[in-house]
């Protein structure tokens, strides 16, 4: 019996020693936090998506919108921005982001960092300077020329499409007026249907992330602030500017869609060119989600829809910063999600011919003119 007691005491002492060892380890690791700016350039981009120089510029730009450090224990602006960038880049949960070798902060601190930085990136001065549709004829012509030089398609000033960003099923709260089921899209998961308009260089000119996943693409477009701009251009005689969309949108002089049943060589070649040019928006969506993986379908944003919208807008700003400054896409480890959340519309939109007849007729005329021009100036793809 005595031997048994001695053995039990020995095991208890060993367990206590092991417990002390495992308790000390986190404190040891916390004293060895790695300075992110000492990483190699490629490693820094992999963790934060921006270069070191761009990150420093972003920190300075966001400082006026972040909470001022009042205590020694408060996080500085640099840490807040780096934590948020790492979350956008990886789409990881807040606890692993906080426990990384670059920060080692609590989950609640990570949450506050993401909230502050996301809100700052949505400020009008920041968001409006990076995500904006051309505001005058000179800017429109520049975008149009870029499309022509890149694709050979004359007159295009943007490609439009919608993509779905997965979210957790929202609960009813003061921030969300929509019922939960409205967020279920046609593939059966909860999402926000995000409309993107991009240029030939994959810069996002306009983003609309306000609508639940069940919302039709055409409905979102009809609520978009770009629609009256391109419509007014056409009405004022500037008829050489239009967007390209898929058959889910209504054909208009300012938004050209494919021929539903192409018969002639002219129509078939137009469809080929139109779809080739329109593929730019799909590439743009793919680059956006590969770069900021919190938007990928299998990651799910674990926030209420209003905050999800702000995160999507923030990622759009960062995407344009990367595109404008030619930041390379990081080499990812592991498979890339193939389903980027693009759900093709089935058939054309429902059009009330009583009100849309004249615009539809004019849209057909413009599309016919463009199709004949492309055929005459045929380029080998």
């Amino acid at each position: 019996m005595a031997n048994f007691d001695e053995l039990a005491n020995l095991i208890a002492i060993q367990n206590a020693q092991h417990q002390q060892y495992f308790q000390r380890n986190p404190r040891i690791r916390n004293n060895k936090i790695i300075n992110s700016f000492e990483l190699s350039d490629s490693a820094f981009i992999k963790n934060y998506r921006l270069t070191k120089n761009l990150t420093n510029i972003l920190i300075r730009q966001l400082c006026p919108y972040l909470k001022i450090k009042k205590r020694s224990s408060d996080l500085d602006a640099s840490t807040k921005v780096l934590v948020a960038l790492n979350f956008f880049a990886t789409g990881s949960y807040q606890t692993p982001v906080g426990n990384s070798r670059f920060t080692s902060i609590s989950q609640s601190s990570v949450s506050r960092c993401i909230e502050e930085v996301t809100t700052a990136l949505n400020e009008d001065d920041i968001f409006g300077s990076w995500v904006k549709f051309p505001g005058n004829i000179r800017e429109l012509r520049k975008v149009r020329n870029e499309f022509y030089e890149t694709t050979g398609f004359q007159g295009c000033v943007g490609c439009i499409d919608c993509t779905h960003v997965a979210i957790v099923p929202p609960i009813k709260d003061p921030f969300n007026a929509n019922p939960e089921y409205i967020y279920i899209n046609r593939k059966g998961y909860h999402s926000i249907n995000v409309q993107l308009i991009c240029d030939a260089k994959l810069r996002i000119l306009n983003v609309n992330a306000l609508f639940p996943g069940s919302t039709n693409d055409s409905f979102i477009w009809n609520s978009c602030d770009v629609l009256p701009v391109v419509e007014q251009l056409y009405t004022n005689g500037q008829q050489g500017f239009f967007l390209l969309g898929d058959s889910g949108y209504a054909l208009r002089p300012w938004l050209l869609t494919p021929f539903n049943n192409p018969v002639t060589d002219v129509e078939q070649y137009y469809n080929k060119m139109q779809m080739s040019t329109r593929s730019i928006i799909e590439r743009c969506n793919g680059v956006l989600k590969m770069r900021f993986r919190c938007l990928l379908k299998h990651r799910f944003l674990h926030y209420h829809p209003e905050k999800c919208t702000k995160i999507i807008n923030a990622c759009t700003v960062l995407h344009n910063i990367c595109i404008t400054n030619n930041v390379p896409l990081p080499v990812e480890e592991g498979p890339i999600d193939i389903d980027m959340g693009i759900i093709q519309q089935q058939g054309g939109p429902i059009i009330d011919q009583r009100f849309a007849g004249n615009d539809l007729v004019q849209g057909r005329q413009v599309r016919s003119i463009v199709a004949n021009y492309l055929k005459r100036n045929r380029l080998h793809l």
Side-chain angles (χ1 to χ4, degrees), residues 148-351:
Y148 183 68
E149 293 169 359
T150 303
T151 68
F153 206 105
Q154 177 66 279
C156 178
V157 293
C159 295
I160 183 172
D161 203 355
C162 287
T163 183
H164 288 260
V165 174
I167 64 173
V168 295
I171 60 174
K172 189 171 181 58
D173 58 35
F175 297 102
N176 182 30
N178 297 311
E180 170 269 335
Y181 66 86
I182 289 201
Y183 288 90
I184 301 176
N185 61 39
R186 284 183 286 114
K187 285 200 172 179
Y189 63 90
H190 295 79
S191 69
I192 292 177
N193 196 6
V194 183
Q195 177 187 275
L196 299 174
I197 301 175
C198 78
D199 67 10
K201 294 185 177 181
L202 307 187
R203 289 185 301 249
I204 296 174
L205 306 177
N206 181 266
V207 57
N208 190 332
L210 298 173
F211 292 91
S214 64
T215 310
N216 184 271
D217 292 3
S218 286
F219 182 86
I220 300 175
W221 167 237
N222 289 331
S223 306
C224 179
D225 54 7
V226 173
L227 173 55
V229 174
V230 291
E231 184 177 1
Q232 191 64 37
L233 279 170
Y234 180 81
T235 304
N236 291 341
Q238 299 289 342
Q239 300 175 1
F241 305 96
F242 47 78
L243 303 176
L244 295 183
D246 61 24
S247 57
Y249 295 96
L251 173 63
R252 295 290 183 267
W254 47 85
L255 201 169
L256 300 188
T257 60
F259 288 97
N260 288 332
N261 297 294
V263 177
T264 66
D265 290 342
V266 171
E267 293 176 350
Q268 292 174 355
Y269 185 68
Y270 165 86
N271 273 13
K272 181 179 180 180
M273 289 290 291
Q274 202 266 5
M275 288 186 286
S276 175
T277 304
R278 203 181 70 239
S279 67
I280 289 175
I281 187 62
E282 297 180 3
R283 295 207 306 274
C284 174
N285 173 61
V287 169
L288 171 67
K289 290 185 176 181
M290 283 189 288
R291 182 170 268 136
F292 301 105
R293 297 170 72 87
C294 67
L295 304 180
L296 283 172
K297 175 186 171 183
H298 64 276
R299 297 302 171 97
F300 285 88
L301 290 176
H302 290 251
Y303 305 95
H304 61 72
E306 181 182 321
K307 187 168 182 179
C308 292
T309 293
K310 293 170 66 177
I311 290 174
I312 294 166
N313 288 344
C315 290
T316 302
V317 171
L318 298 172
H319 165 87
N320 280 357
I321 292 175
C322 293
I323 293 295
T324 301
N325 292 278
N326 299 313
V327 179
L329 273 172
V331 178
E332 293 293 346
E333 298 177 359
I336 296 295
D337 182 75
I338 301 301
D339 183 0
M340 291 296 178
I342 296 176
I343 299 179
Q344 299 295 335
Q345 296 285 345
Q346 301 298 319
I350 299 174
I351 302 172

